[in-house]
Amino acid sequence: MRAPARELFRDAAFPASDSSLFSSFSTPLAQFREDITWRRPQEICASPRLFADNPQEGRVKQGLLGDCWFLCACAALQKSRHLLEQVIAPGQASWLDPTYCGSFTCRVWQFGRWVEVTIDDRLPCLAGRLCFSRCQREDVFWLPLLEKVYAKVHGSYEHLWAGQVADALVDLTGGLAERWNLKDVARTSGQQDRPGGVEARTCRQLLGLKERCLISCSVFSPRAGARELGEFHAFIVSDLRELRGRAGESILLLRVQNPWGRRCWRGPWTEGGEGWSRVDAAASSELLSQLQDGEFWVDEQEFLQEFDEVTIGYPVTEAGHLQSLYSGKVLCHTQELPGAWVKGQSAGGCRNNSSFPSNPKFWLRVSEPSEVYVTVLQRPRTRTTDGAGRARAPLGASRAAWRWASALGQDCPAVGLHLWKVEKRRVSLPRVLSSPPVAGTVCHAYDREVHLRCELDPGYYLAVPSTFLKDVPGQFLLRVFSSGRVSLSAVRLAAKNADPEEALSGQWETVQLRGCWRAGQTAGGSRNFASYATNPCFPLSVPEGSGPHCVRITLQQHCPDSECHPIGFHVPADGAAQGTASLLLQKPLLSCVPHCYARDVSRLCHLSAGTYRIVPSTYLPDTEGTFTVTIATRIDRRSIHSREMLGQPLQEVRRGPGLFVHPGPPSGRTRVFP
């Protein structure tokens, strides 16, 4: 008697339905809504495989979905076995294994940690064939399955329509990616020295990187004679060769792969083109024979003319360390800390604003001369709109492109990062921040991540990430990669009207109190709920003195960054009414709200002698967790100085090719479309 067929896994969180395909029906994908079906690999071909024996058979090809940016990043996994196995763990059951159950699991790096994502293997099809990404051989399925995982992370396939190659590279490697504006490269070619410590970038630098990392190039708005390259489209630079021409000149050729999988270029270095007359016939024959579907050769001048941007993923060693693109040094020392810009407290805006000193601040201690990369990675605020949101259109984008970016995009404000060398124990914050930084981003950019590369001497540095506009809320992860030993710590935020210098100096007496929120017992939630009075209460006694005491209160929850609950606290006066029910009736003397998704929140205040209570809370009732309340009282209070104003407003806006003409920051976040 035949055993009953095994029931295959069906992912209820990402079902085979329209909810997984569409978010707003605002892309051309919507026209196929009635025709898309879902099939498992064994229903698409006779002998499905996860990987191909020949790497060429596993090459990426783009389908109906406008996610060329993601597919270009996927090609990085084919260059590195350890990166591939980090994302797609080996040993998963294949379709011929008796243990096959219809599921597939991989890992995606998200805001500081690797997240394991499981899907079922039902894939969108048209007329029985895959309608989105596929490999060169259509019986190889690692790519469409990984694409489905990434679509699940983003909420739908349609959310993958338009994005940045750099963002996908970071999500698949956990590392860094750098973008070069090729028009800048063309203008500065041959320059040895550039102001501000910015490296002179040339296409020839890519020669030494081609084996170690993924190189992608993009076209934003093609010139009239190059429409076949497409608009807002990303490509893979699959090879670079430096040849000696017949006249003895050096010729740099780049082999470009179009994810569309068809040859779309008729330049001088296509087969039969006039460019090949400049090199030996043997070299010509060899290079032309290497072309696969969708590939073509261009020379350096043609590359700079036709393409707008290059994206380079930093090499990652088998030990998981990044390597510098410029020196080749292994950046084996890493640090990271979460942070947040909170409206009215720590969202001070750029250096044009007098509120700039209120931005989050971090101490970076460098122990030895080091090559250091400091980055600010934003947590995107995913939003779904009808296309009338406040998205910024990429330069040269059509109305349709703008609408898709608005409806599908993850809204990232323009951010920047500056670094000052300081003496940690002798800091006048206004004076430091009004002086020129030792390093800073050229401009505030609408990118998910911005970074600085610095050669730093030993000592203390103050890192200040900021949004361009003040009072723009957001969360971020500050990451540091260094060739030498470094340490990173957060400078506790001051209260809104406190003296910023006071928060960084002096001696403090510290008490730590541990507690927990338990559902149904001590997890009362915020003051919006009647159960607020059941939250834990901690005593705070301020002794008599010549005046108010400077007190810093910090609430830290004990959890991974990605699992933070919104937390805050209030300090009511502890008068005659001792009952917990009175908590809800008392107006707090001090509040640390709104509740923030952060590991810790802090307020600096001045309290007169007396007895108080600290009431820490989560925003929603019955949210469980453990926490520590730290009470730091300053014991050598100095006189308060008036805040020193910044000098002349710094010009953070410039206009030029590839930049937004916008009253705010200059660097537009250009998404790549199909």
Side-chain angles (χ1 to χ4, degrees), residues 8-9 40 92-93 100-105 118-121 145:
L8 299 180
F9 172 64
R40 298 185 187 268
Q92 301 196 52
Y100 164 71
C101 63
S103 68
F104 174 78
T105 301
T118 299
I119 56 167
D120 64 41
D121 59 0
L145 288 169

Side-chain angles (χ1 to χ4, degrees), residues 267-326:
W269 295 92
T270 53
E271 189 169 3
E274 60 184 18
W276 297 108
S277 62
R278 297 170 55 191
V279 300
D280 291 338
S284 170
S285 177
E286 177 197 355
L287 296 185
L288 285 172
S289 68
Q290 295 175 3
L291 293 177
Q292 303 292 321
D293 287 346
E295 289 188 327
F296 54 94
W297 289 99
V298 294
D299 61 28
E300 182 178 13
Q301 181 180 357
E302 192 179 7
F303 184 71
L304 293 174
Q305 176 183 346
E306 305 298 346
F307 294 91
D308 294 284
E309 187 175 83
V310 159
T311 301
I312 308 164
Y314 277 59
V316 182
T317 68
E318 292 195 12
H321 301 310
L322 298 188
Q323 279 186 285
S324 168
L325 291 181
Y326 300 94

Side-chain angles (χ1 to χ4, degrees), residues 376-652:
V376 179
L377 173 69
Q378 301 186 71
R379 185 192 289 275
R381 296 171 292 181
T382 304
R383 57 196 171 86
T384 303
T385 74
D386 60 1
R390 297 190 304 171
R392 299 168 180 86
L395 188 69
S398 64
R399 287 184 178 272
W402 191 339
R403 183 173 67 252
W404 298 336
S406 175
L408 304 175
Q410 293 178 312
D411 191 18
C412 287
V415 296
L417 173 66
H418 294 84
L419 211 63
W420 284 265
K421 181 87 181 282
V422 295
E423 297 293 336
K424 186 175 182 181
R425 296 301 178 188
R426 301 176 61 186
V427 172
S428 170
L429 185 61
R431 190 175 301 116
V432 166
L433 296 184
S434 61
S435 64
V438 296
T441 50
V442 175
C443 59
H444 284 67
Y446 291 110
D447 289 325
R448 193 180 74 171
E449 185 167 31
V450 298
H451 72 263
L452 289 174
R453 175 189 179 270
C454 319
E455 296 283 351
L456 298 181
D457 295 325
Y460 287 102
Y461 296 83
L462 187 67
V464 184
S466 62
T467 56
F468 183 77
L469 299 175
K470 65 178 295 186
D471 287 336
V472 175
Q475 298 179 54
F476 63 86
L477 187 69
L478 190 74
R479 302 200 286 163
V480 178
F481 304 88
S482 175
S483 61
R485 289 174 294 122
V486 293
S487 62
L488 186 67
S489 59
V491 177
R492 298 302 177 191
L493 298 180
K496 181 177 180 181
N497 296 320
D499 179 12
E501 182 177 350
E502 200 166 40
L504 298 177
S505 58
Q507 297 180 7
W508 299 78
E509 194 171 73
T510 302
V511 175
Q512 287 191 331
L513 305 168
R514 294 180 66 90
C516 63
W517 295 292
R518 290 285 178 263
Q521 301 177 38
T522 59
S526 67
R527 296 181 78 242
N528 293 347
F529 302 93
S531 56
Y532 171 76
T534 64
N535 279 302
C537 290
F538 294 91
L540 169 60
S541 180
V542 178
E544 295 288 340
S546 58
H549 286 259
C550 185
V551 180
R552 182 169 59 216
I553 304 170
T554 303
L555 171 62
Q556 180 184 41
Q557 59 178 319
H558 305 152
C559 65
D561 296 337
S562 59
E563 299 175 10
C564 287
H565 302 298
I567 58 172
F569 60 84
H570 297 283
V571 178
D574 202 356
Q578 297 292 327
T580 56
S582 67
L583 286 177
L584 205 54
L585 303 177
Q586 288 180 297
K587 182 178 180 180
L589 292 179
L590 171 70
S591 295
C592 186
V593 292
H595 289 66
C596 295
Y597 285 97
R599 182 179 287 182
D600 58 66
V601 294
S602 181
R603 286 297 303 270
L604 186 75
C605 58
H606 295 91
L607 295 177
S608 301
T611 304
Y612 305 85
R613 287 182 287 178
I614 303 171
V615 184
S617 63
T618 57
Y619 181 72
L620 295 176
D622 294 334
T623 302
E624 295 196 331
T626 59
F627 60 85
T628 298
V629 174
T630 303
I631 306 168
T633 304
R634 197 169 133 175
I635 59 177
D636 62 340
R637 186 176 184 274
R638 297 161 56 186
S639 60
I640 299 176
H641 300 283
S642 62
R643 176 156 39 181
E644 186 177 330
M645 297 297 292
L646 296 178
Q648 292 295 319
L650 302 173
Q651 182 61 31
E652 295 277 350

